[in-house]
Amino acid sequence: MRKASYLYILGGFFGFLISSFTTTRNFQEPWKAPASADTLKIPFTASPPVLREGEKLYNIFCVSCHGPNGLGDGSPGKFKIEPANFHSKEVAAQTEGALFWKLTTGRGRSMPAFAAALSDEKRWQLIAYIRQFAKKGSAAIVKVRPVLPLKNYRIDSKLVSQYFVLPAKLTNVTNSESQLFMVDTVVKSLVRPWSMVFLPDSRVLIAERGGRLAIVRNGKVQPNPIGGNVPKGLRDIKLHPDFRQNKLIYISYYTDASGTEPGYSVLMRAKLEGDKLMEDKVLYKAGPFKGNGEWYGSKIAFDNNGHVFFTVGIKGGRSTAQDLSLPDGKTMRFNEDGSIPSDNPFVKTKGALPEIYSYGHRVHEGLVRDPKTGRIFSTEFGELGGDELNVIKSGANYGWPLVSHSLEYNGSIISESPFREGVVAPVHHYAIAPGDLDFVYGNRYPGWNGNVFIGGLAAKMLYRTVLKNDAFSHEERLLENIGRVRDVKLGPDQFLYILTEDNGLLVRLVPVNKFSSQVK
């Protein structure tokens, strides 16, 4: 993987339709379309069906850099050239033909050319949708669901949680398609949180990238974090299925390359004694890798048969995902002590790493076991679009980079078809830069029973996905502009929790009931 392009991992394109004006932070020579482009006109009326198609394209190709509301705030970090704000007067002043020309021809690495990837009709649909941002003005900046009168709703007094006290009163009510809920912020001021676990003693542990394993007790972050050998570059944390008895906790982290030292993706295990890690042991190291691991994930999951799964993303050339002698782009499976199961699919394959369970991945960002079916699901970054939801199967090839729904960062096609014999197709594909995911079962949220909830990093929202027999059926966007949703967990208290890494929030969704007030 090119080091420079790795910053764009969020699945959208960088600097699409870069505005031809300067900002206080960055300077760019004005990018002007030729005068002949001004004569180009949208060949159809911007009707509702056209705008709906344009919105779909925007959410695939634009949202991760320009944000869901076209403000240019979709990608974190600082870039040499800022993504355009489609509400700005400078963008609005450009003709639709000029914007179409820029979308078609591109501008090097800063702006992909979409002549090959999108037909003329699709490019015009996208332009038609983008033009709506400026036309709608401030009304388009934030999509807000209707404010519901709080007097008509209530929280069930029987609801309890051993982790966080239930709100004393309603402060907001959100009406999703099938479930009413209140957004309840239970923890603030976290610093780049990545993952969380709920301990049986009513504590919550939150792993922060800098190397702090924060303790939340009685709804408050404790001044002293977990002690012992807590590594920097924390990623995932998971409790052993029998944690109540053995106190084992599994941790993944990435050691950044520095100087001549390579980087590694590491799986470790330790015993949690009180507020301290004891008897820590490295179970596996994947590498060596070059470069830093800023967006490098590594996720952990358990099955019911004594196995632990560990994911390793791409840190070299793309072809490494298909090379069974290398760990890049693979799902690994171990026994709980780090030894290799004798029934792993490539144990007897000459030259293959025996720990490999599946291959052909790009970068996993979520991994969870469906508690009902036992199947392991993952979310995965694409390049330009093409993020995936997958069911992980033994010995399966998931195609990267041979086939993909995503495009090159310059807008060109990666594969003529996203399907190929012998390659497992994704359950669904997105352009949201997905975070982690979890399943919701039970009667706590009756409208969501059996649904999958996926964090959106670039999209800054939560996605509710409905599956039928492991096939995609429907999706709904929730919590728009909540922040970069890194982790999603259904806690032992049966409440759904959302962890945002950019603004450092832990949010709980509390179900709400509607009742009819008496009319006098």
Side-chain angles (χ1 to χ4, degrees):
M1 179 178 296
R2 298 183 299 274
K3 180 178 179 180
S5 71
Y6 200 77
L7 291 173
Y8 308 154
I9 197 70
L10 300 181
F13 61 86
F14 165 67
F16 165 61
L17 296 180
I18 296 298
S19 56
S20 59
F21 59 96
T22 61
T23 69
T24 56
R25 289 182 291 174
N26 303 290
F27 175 80
Q28 181 193 13
E29 291 296 328
W31 181 26
K32 295 182 179 180
S36 59
D38 293 334
T39 64
L40 300 174
K41 302 293 182 182
I42 296 180
F44 38 71
T45 303
S47 61
V50 168
L51 295 178
R52 282 196 294 270
E53 290 303 311
E55 183 179 18
K56 292 178 183 177
L57 294 168
Y58 182 87
N59 287 326
I60 292 174
F61 301 118
C62 315
V63 69
S64 64
C65 281
H66 295 281
N69 301 303
L71 294 170
D73 59 351
S75 294
K78 296 181 179 180
F79 298 100
K80 183 178 180 181
I81 303 172
E82 296 292 338
N85 178 349
F86 295 133
H87 297 268
S88 70
K89 294 180 180 179
E90 291 80 359
V91 173
Q94 298 177 51
T95 66
E96 57 195 31
L99 297 180
F100 182 82
W101 179 87
K102 292 180 178 181
L103 176 61
T104 300
T105 61
R107 198 185 193 193
R109 291 180 60 82
S110 296
M111 165 61 194
F114 280 83
L118 298 176
S119 66
D120 286 2
E121 180 183 24
K122 290 188 178 297
R123 277 176 276 147
W124 278 121
Q125 290 169 344
L126 185 50
I127 294 299
Y129 179 74
I130 287 172
R131 296 295 267 185
Q132 299 305 301
F133 286 114
K135 291 179 181 179
K136 292 180 180 179
S138 60
I141 292 179
V142 179
K143 295 180 180 179
V144 180
R145 293 182 182 272
V147 176
L148 302 177
L150 299 182
K151 65 180 181 179
N152 293 338
Y153 302 90
R154 63 185 175 191
I155 298 173
D156 189 340
S157 60
K158 296 180 181 179
L159 294 180
V160 295
S161 169
Q162 65 267 42
Y163 298 100
F164 302 97
V165 176
L166 269 293
K169 63 179 181 179
L170 285 174
T171 58
N172 62 84
V173 177
T174 297
N175 60 331
S176 73
E177 294 174 350
S178 55
Q179 178 69 52
L180 294 166
F181 64 92
M182 171 183 169
V183 179
D184 179 28
T185 301
V186 293
V187 178
K188 299 180 180 179
S189 303
L190 298 166
V191 181
R192 301 194 72 191
W194 191 274
S195 56
M196 56 184 160
V197 292
F198 295 81
L199 301 179
D201 63 4
S202 300
R203 291 180 296 168
V204 181
L205 302 186
I206 299 176
E208 296 179 333
R209 285 281 294 274
R212 183 174 78 148
L213 199 49
I215 305 170
V216 180
R217 183 185 283 116
N218 298 324
K220 296 182 180 180
V221 178
Q222 301 302 297
N224 297 318
I226 292 294
N229 183 23
V230 179
K232 294 182 179 180
L234 286 175
R235 296 304 195 266
D236 205 9
I237 49 174
K238 291 288 173 63
L239 302 181
H240 186 282
D242 295 324
F243 176 82
R244 286 180 179 271
Q245 286 72 42
N246 60 30
K247 306 300 181 184
L248 293 178
I249 185 170
Y250 289 68
I251 297 172
S252 71
Y253 61 98
Y254 186 76
T255 61
D256 281 323
S258 59
T260 59
E261 295 296 319
Y264 290 89
S265 183
V266 184
L267 173 66
M268 69 172 281
R269 185 183 72 180
K271 182 172 288 188
L272 182 62
E273 298 285 359
D275 290 347
K276 188 175 182 179
L277 295 184
M278 306 288 287
E279 302 176 23
D280 55 278
K281 177 184 178 182
V282 171
L283 300 182
Y284 182 70
K285 290 175 64 175
F289 300 125
K290 296 181 180 179
N292 65 53
E294 177 64 15
W295 302 112
Y296 194 71
S298 49
K299 304 300 295 184
I300 305 168
F302 294 90
D303 63 15
N304 272 348
N305 300 312
H307 301 125
V308 56
F309 295 80
F310 178 67
T311 69
V312 181
I314 292 273
K315 285 296 291 180
R318 285 178 174 175
S319 62
T320 57
Q322 294 292 321
D323 189 339
L324 294 177
S325 70
L326 297 172
D328 311 53
K330 312 298 192 302
T331 309
M332 310 301 189
R333 186 177 74 152
F334 303 94
N335 295 316
E336 294 168 357
D337 62 359
S339 61
I340 297 173
S342 59
D343 62 345
N344 267 9
F346 301 106
V347 165
K348 297 181 180 180
T349 301
K350 184 177 180 180
L353 296 177
E355 62 266 28
I356 294 175
Y357 189 76
S358 66
Y359 66 106
H361 302 283
R362 189 166 181 267
V363 180
H364 307 71
E365 291 296 328
L367 195 70
V368 69
R369 174 184 170 274
D370 180 346
K372 184 176 181 180
T373 68
R375 288 188 283 271
I376 304 293
F377 282 74
S378 76
T379 53
E380 183 176 332
F381 276 164
E383 200 161 287
L384 177 52
D387 305 322
E388 296 181 353
L389 172 65
N390 287 307
V391 179
I392 303 300
K393 301 177 181 179
S394 176
N397 182 2
Y398 290 81
W400 183 260
L402 304 178
V403 293
S404 177
H405 285 274
S406 64
L407 302 174
E408 300 277 7
Y409 286 120
N410 64 11
S412 59
I413 295 172
I414 292 177
S415 60
E416 291 295 332
S417 171
F419 306 104
R420 177 183 291 192
E421 185 178 356
V423 171
V424 177
V427 175
H428 191 47
H429 64 95
Y430 309 79
I432 62 174
D436 215 330
L437 72 163
D438 206 356
F439 286 80
V440 167
Y441 286 110
N443 57 12
R444 178 59 51 86
Y445 308 94
W448 293 345
N449 183 40
N451 296 169
V452 185
F453 288 79
I454 301 172
L457 292 165
K460 296 185 177 181
M461 64 181 71
L462 180 68
Y463 281 74
R464 179 177 73 94
T465 300
V466 181
L467 302 179
K468 292 184 178 180
N469 299 320
D470 287 349
F472 173 80
S473 175
H474 177 67
E475 71 177 23
E476 180 185 15
R477 303 176 194 174
L478 302 170
L479 308 182
E480 296 189 50
N481 299 307
I482 189 70
R484 290 170 52 80
V485 180
R486 172 58 70 179
D487 201 6
V488 181
K489 287 288 184 297
L490 185 67
D493 58 1
Q494 299 303 300
F495 286 101
L496 188 61
Y497 290 87
I498 313 300
L499 189 65
T500 62
E501 69 170 352
D502 53 344
N503 49 21
L505 301 178
L506 177 58
V507 172
R508 173 176 56 181
L509 305 190
V510 179
V512 172
N513 297 324
K514 184 177 182 179
F515 68 96
S516 299
S517 58
Q518 293 182 344
V519 179
K520 296 182 179 180

